């Protein structure tokens, strides 16, 4: 029988690396660091080895469909599928970044929402029975939702929102941001927040935070690893926004 395997995207540093570290200690199987850059990924594996932890590396750039399909084929062939997938890869512009908002909106949504969706499209069919998929979101998503127009809040909180509608709304934000009309459309001035709002809404179911972040990467990884390692047969929480091991209101 093929070994069990856990895959963490964007895991050469920050919270992704902390997730891998915890999985190496707690997951009964092979754990994979993945990253766009092969050198950085291999450095992460080496740094874990220096702590006495064994991990593996596979190149994976979630913005590159070829990279996603190559990785999917590899894990299907070698392991018969994936037991744990943690979608952690993402980007955030610094607050002081001078990049025009239109560009920030397009680039951020491309990675944090649309590329994560591509990962799910390709990997969900190879998740093994009883496997776990954890999408790393952010409390910023729910805060951002409260800054949207009431009409948008209503759609995002709706029980019957479809994936197609969600994708359409995310694209609408990018299109309006390009024309500098997002505010008139009821959208707030945060591309990262909107991207995480989209990720949370699926199933609403670091470097990035900076030095003032309330948790260390290892502390931030705790809930993600807890969810990833829930035993087979446990059906809740499913499709919820979870923080500090508790389901949070959306």
């Amino acid at each position: 029988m093929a070994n069990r395997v856990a895959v963490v995207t964007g895991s050469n540093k920050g919270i992704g690396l902390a997730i891998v570290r915890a999985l190496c200690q707690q997951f009964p199987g092979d754990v994979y660091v993945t990253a766009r850059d092969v050198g950085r990924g291999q450095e992460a594996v080496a740094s874990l080895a220096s702590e006495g932890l064994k991990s593996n590396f596979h190149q994976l750039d979630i913005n590159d469909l070829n990279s996603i399909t190559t990785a999917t084929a590899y894990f299907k062939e070698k392991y018969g599928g994936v037991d744990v997938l943690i979608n952690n890869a993402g980007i955030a512009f610094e607050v002081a970044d001078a990049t025009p908002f239109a560009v920030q909106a397009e680039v951020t949504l491309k990675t944090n929402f649309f590329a994560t969706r591509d990962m799910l499209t390709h990997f969900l069919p190879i998740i093994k029975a009883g496997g776990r998929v954890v999408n790393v979101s952010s409390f910023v998503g729910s805060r951002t939702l409260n800054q949207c127009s009431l009409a948008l809040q209503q759609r995002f909180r709706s029980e019957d929102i479809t994936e197609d509608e969600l994708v359409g709304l995310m694209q609408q934000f990018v299109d309006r941001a390009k024309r500098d009309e997002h505010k008139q459309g009821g959208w707030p001035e945060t591309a990262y927040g909107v991207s995480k709002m989209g990720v949370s809404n699926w199933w609403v179911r670091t470097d990035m935070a900076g030095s003032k972040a309330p948790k260390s990467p290892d502390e931030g990884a705790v809930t993600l690893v807890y969810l990833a390692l829930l035993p087979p047969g446990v059906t809740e929480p499913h499709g919820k926004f979870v923080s500090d091991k508790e389901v949070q209101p959306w």
Side-chain angles (χ1 to χ4, degrees), residues 151-170:
L152 283 173
Q153 286 187 43
Q154 198 174 10
R155 286 320 301 148
F156 277 105
R157 289 198 170 103
S158 160
E159 292 291 315
D160 62 2
I161 187 169
T162 63
E163 184 181 1
D164 284 348
E165 184 180 1
L166 180 59
V167 168
L169 284 165
M170 294 288 106

Side-chain angles (χ1 to χ4, degrees), residues 24 33 52 140 164 170 186 189-190 202-203 214 230 247:
C24 286
V33 171
V140 175
D164 284 348
M170 294 288 106
E189 187 83 3
T190 164
W202 250 311
W203 284 302
L230 285 171
V247 173

Side-chain angles (χ1 to χ4, degrees), residues 223 226 241-248:
T223 294
Y226 157 74
F241 180 59
V242 181
S243 179
D244 295 324
K245 295 190 184 178
E246 297 287 334
V247 173
Q248 304 296 324

Side-chain angles (χ1 to χ4, degrees), residues 11-88:
S11 51
N12 59 291
K13 63 180 180 180
I15 208 163
L17 184 59
I19 294 167
V20 170
R21 180 182 291 113
L23 287 173
C24 286
Q25 295 162 334
Q26 299 172 48
F27 178 74
D30 293 350
V31 183
Y32 275 76
V33 171
T34 70
R36 284 178 300 185
D37 184 280
V38 174
R40 287 184 192 150
Q42 289 169 341
E43 277 170 28
V45 169
S47 78
L48 289 165
S50 72
E51 299 171 32
L53 299 172
K54 182 186 181 304
S55 61
N56 306 276
F57 174 72
H58 197 285
Q59 193 276 342
L60 178 56
D61 177 358
I62 71 166
N63 277 310
D64 177 355
L65 271 180
N66 284 337
S67 177
I68 292 177
T69 54
T70 300
T72 311
Y74 170 81
F75 289 109
K76 187 175 182 184
E77 169 71 24
K78 186 170 171 66
Y79 296 95
V82 169
D83 297 276
V84 171
L85 170 65
I86 299 186
N87 282 313
N88 167 73

Side-chain angles (χ1 to χ4, degrees), residues 101-103 105-106 171 173-182:
F101 187 73
V103 176
E106 184 163 31
Q171 192 57 53
F173 168 71
V174 173
D175 294 344
R176 282 183 171 272
K178 282 181 178 173
R179 301 194 300 266
D180 197 24
E181 292 172 2
H182 52 287

